[in-house]
């Protein structure tokens, strides 16, 4: 899930139609074009981001205050740029809003708590006297980017802070753009307090990412940065992970996307709504319909057109539809093959007996099975995480999960007999590689045994 932009007027009356392709008629060159995402010129964006990152590295909090005023149009005092949410008054929220976020918190916590892997009760003895094991440790300091400002995304605050708390991260910095008066959106503050966030950074954009990566007088330096954002946030994360800042990031990210597989029993209204739920994120989002035999694509397009006229962000969604498309396939195997090659951020399988598809689905950020599972539930409150790989990165990246906030450390312990048995083999391998100090670290111990 990525940041929403400011709401726009309803869609223009011009017809918005999905370009439709018959899979059997598509050659490999055209297939490659269909699998490609709308181009993002990160080269040009990095040229804008790099000076911002450097300014924050050099001038710290003062740069943050000035850049927040410039880009977020928010006035924040120098001494107030980073605050401790645990010492702030609990925001007053309507009962139904509070209840919704409480349910989401509980479900996200339950799902991520279940991802704990108990430490092994016994080590693996790979040979007599040679014992190996692995332990988990939390990443000590993490930075969580929560898009905000005119678009409120407290759901992202929960998606990131809840697993950080379960993992046991000691320092949790949450960065989010402040409101014009310098305050934090109440729903975001509520989620931050509920999950035990230790620092709130009142800044957004590349400048917030830079502050968490390098650290400032008031913002702790973190070891890993998480969270979705616009192209400038993504560019800053990618730039800093390859810099002297020594910071990791959760994953590369791009515009939001969804692929919907539908059979003839899928309700066109539901399919249209699912497509638009991602199209409304931004004009650079992409939505794809994979239609099995019997699907009335025209009926779905009519519902898309109707809904576009009803949505406050209809104009944004309509622009996304312009570079989206439908693929008509002749079989389940063709649908699965196309989906796996596309590797969508969100994959909705709106078909009969959707559970039977799961073993063959290999590339997706998150999968939504069946008639009654809209992507929206994963974005908000089913319990799964909505911070997911986009742009085809689901081929090699996972979405954010409990392991994202932990590191695995291997442990080995040898007895005297273990080294006596294993040592000669290690010494010989070191000799082959020409690393004599490695060899001596073994042979000198073995000589001392006699």
């Amino acid at each position: 899930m990525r940041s929403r932009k400011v709401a726009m007027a309803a869609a223009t009356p011009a017809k918005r139609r999905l370009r439709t392709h018959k899979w059997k008629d598509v050659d490999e060159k055209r297939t490659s074009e269909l699998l490609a995402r709308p181009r993002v010129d990160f080269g040009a964006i990095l040229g804008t981001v790099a000076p911002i990152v450097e300014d924050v590295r050099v001038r710290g909090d003062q740069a943050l205050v000035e850049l927040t005023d410039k880009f977020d149009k928010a006035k924040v005092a120098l001494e107030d740029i980073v605050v401790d949410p645990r010492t702030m008054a609990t925001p007053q929220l309507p009962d139904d809003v509070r209840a919704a976020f409480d349910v989401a918190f509980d479900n996200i916590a339950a799902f991520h708590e279940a991802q704990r892997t108990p430490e092994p009760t016994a080590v693996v003895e790979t040979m007599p006297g040679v014992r190996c094991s692995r332990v988990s440790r939390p990443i000590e300091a993490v930075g969580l980017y929560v898009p905000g400002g005119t678009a409120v995304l407290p759901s992202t605050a929960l998606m990131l802070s809840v697993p950080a708390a379960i993992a046991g991260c000691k320092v949790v910095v949450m960065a989010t753009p402040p409101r014009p008066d310098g305050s934090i959106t109440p729903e975001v503050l509520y989620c931050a307090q509920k999950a035990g966030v230790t620092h709130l950074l009142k800044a957004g954009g590349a400048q917030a990412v830079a502050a968490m990566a390098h650290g400032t007088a008031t913002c702790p330096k973190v070891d890993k940065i998480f969270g979705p954002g616009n192209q400038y946030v993504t560019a800053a994360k990618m730039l800093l992970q390859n810099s002297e800042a020594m910071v990791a990031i959760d994953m590369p990210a791009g515009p939001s996307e969804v692929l919907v597989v539908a059979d003839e029993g899928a309700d066109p209204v539901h399919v249209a709504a699912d497509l638009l739920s991602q199209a409304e994120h931004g004009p650079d989002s992409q939505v794809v319909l994979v239609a099995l035999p019997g699907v009335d694509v025209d009926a779905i397009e009519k519902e898309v057109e109707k809904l576009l006229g009803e949505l406050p962000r209809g104009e944004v969604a309509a622009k996304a539809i312009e570079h989206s498309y439908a693929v008509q396939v002749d079989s389940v195997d063709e649908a699965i093959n196309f989906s796996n090659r596309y590797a969508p951020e969100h994959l909705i399988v709106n078909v009969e007996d959707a559970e039977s598809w799961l073993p063959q689905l290999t590339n997706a950020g998150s999968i939504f099975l069946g008639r009654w599972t809209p992507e929206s539930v994963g974005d908000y409150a089913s319990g799964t995480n909505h911070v997911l790989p986009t742009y085809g990165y689901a081929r090699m990246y996972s979405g954010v999960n409990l392991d994202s906030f932990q590191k695995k450390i291997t442990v080995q312990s040898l007895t005297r007999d273990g080294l006596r048995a294993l040592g000669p083999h290690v010494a010989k391998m070191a000799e082959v590689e020409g690393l004599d100090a490695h060899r001596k670290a073994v042979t000198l111990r073995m000589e001392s045994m006699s």
Side-chain angles (χ1 to χ4, degrees):
M1 182 176 179
R2 62 189 292 271
S3 61
R4 299 172 176 85
K5 300 174 184 176
V6 66
M8 295 185 177
T12 56
K15 287 273 184 189
R16 307 292 182 182
R17 308 212 35 112
L18 292 168
R19 291 176 290 119
T20 302
H21 308 270
K22 292 187 176 182
W23 184 238
K24 64 181 179 181
D25 297 332
V26 176
D27 61 19
E28 193 57 34
K29 180 178 181 296
R30 185 56 180 148
T31 297
S32 297
E33 294 171 351
L34 291 175
L35 296 176
R37 304 320 201 258
R39 185 173 178 272
V40 177
D41 186 359
F42 275 113
I45 295 170
L46 285 170
T48 301
V49 164
I52 295 172
V53 169
E54 180 64 10
D55 191 20
V56 173
R57 186 189 72 81
V58 173
R59 297 197 301 127
D61 290 331
Q62 186 60 48
L64 277 177
V65 169
E66 295 172 12
L67 291 166
T68 298
D69 185 14
K70 178 180 179 180
F71 294 116
D72 296 319
K73 310 302 180 188
K75 301 289 186 182
V76 182
L78 185 65
E79 66 276 9
D80 201 36
I81 196 72
V82 176
V83 295
D84 184 346
R86 298 167 297 183
T87 65
M88 300 171 70
T90 302
Q92 299 301 307
L93 301 177
D95 290 344
D96 56 345
V97 172
R98 184 185 300 271
F101 284 101
D102 286 347
V103 168
F105 178 95
D106 290 344
N107 288 350
I108 295 165
F111 184 72
H112 289 79
E113 184 71 43
Q115 295 171 30
R116 284 185 186 273
T117 51
E119 302 294 356
T121 55
V123 296
V124 176
E125 190 169 42
T126 57
M127 60 189 299
V130 180
R131 297 177 299 167
C132 300
S133 62
R134 191 181 76 168
V135 296
S136 299
R137 297 291 183 267
I139 298 173
E140 292 188 6
V142 295
L144 317 178
Y145 187 83
V146 177
T150 55
V152 181
L153 286 181
S155 57
T156 299
L158 288 178
M159 295 291 174
L160 297 176
S161 59
V162 171
I166 294 172
C169 301
K170 294 179 180 178
V171 175
V172 180
V173 182
M174 181 179 290
T176 190
R179 299 190 292 184
D181 64 356
S183 65
I184 296 295
T185 300
E187 294 86 354
V188 172
L189 176 58
Y190 178 74
C191 294
Q193 291 176 330
K194 194 171 179 69
V197 169
T198 60
H199 299 74
L200 263 178
L201 170 59
K202 297 181 179 182
Q207 60 270 26
V209 176
M212 293 189 289
H214 286 295
T216 71
T218 61
C219 179
K221 176 186 170 15
V222 303
D223 301 311
K224 188 173 182 180
I225 296 174
F226 299 79
N230 62 22
Q231 296 172 353
Y232 299 98
V233 170
T234 298
K237 288 168 65 178
M238 295 174 71
L239 176 67
L240 284 158
Q241 76 166 338
N242 295 309
S243 75
E244 74 282 0
M246 287 289 292
V247 68
I249 67 172
D250 47 3
M251 69 192 80
S256 190
E257 58 195 29
V258 66
L259 186 149
V260 180
V261 181
D263 66 7
E264 62 181 336
D267 189 324
V269 175
H270 297 173
V271 175
D274 286 338
L275 292 170
L276 291 175
S277 70
Q278 290 306 296
E280 74 173 350
H281 275 306
D284 52 358
S285 298
Q286 186 173 62
V287 302
V288 177
L289 169 64
V290 175
L292 287 159
V295 171
D296 188 343
V297 176
D298 287 340
I300 293 171
E301 287 181 327
K302 288 177 183 177
E303 294 300 335
V304 166
E305 187 70 26
K306 178 181 177 182
L307 286 170
L308 279 172
E310 300 172 358
L311 296 175
R313 295 177 61 83
E315 187 174 333
V316 171
K319 289 178 179 177
I321 292 295
E322 289 175 2
H323 49 253
S324 299
Y325 59 88
V327 175
Q328 293 177 311
V329 296
D330 291 330
S331 67
V332 169
D333 286 345
E334 286 184 356
I336 290 172
N337 176 265
F338 183 85
S339 177
N340 285 337
R341 294 184 67 180
Y342 186 85
E345 176 190 17
H346 305 97
L347 171 58
I348 298 174
V349 185
N350 189 342
V351 303
E352 191 69 27
D353 193 23
E355 295 279 349
S356 67
W357 287 49
L358 188 57
Q360 300 176 75
L361 298 173
T362 56
N363 296 324
S366 191
I367 299 173
F368 303 81
L369 295 174
R371 307 288 193 210
W372 307 108
T373 316
E375 182 275 335
S376 311
V377 298
D379 264 1
Y380 291 109
S382 67
T384 62
N385 209 289
H386 78 202
V387 181
L388 303 167
T390 67
Y391 228 64
Y393 282 109
R395 294 186 188 90
M396 70 290 289
Y397 281 89
S398 304
V400 165
N401 55 75
L402 189 63
D403 278 350
S404 305
F405 294 87
Q406 298 176 325
K407 50 191 184 286
K408 308 297 183 182
I409 304 172
T410 54
V411 182
Q412 46 264 297
S413 175
L414 275 66
T415 63
R416 179 186 292 259
D417 289 341
L419 184 60
R420 185 179 286 120
L422 182 60
H425 305 294
V426 174
K428 179 56 65 176
M429 293 176 73
E431 180 183 325
V432 169
E433 294 190 349
L435 298 175
D436 203 48
H438 282 66
R439 183 184 65 82
K440 285 182 177 295
V442 173
T443 58
L444 289 174
R445 281 179 167 82
M446 294 178 66
E447 290 169 8
S448 70
M449 294 177 187
S450 55

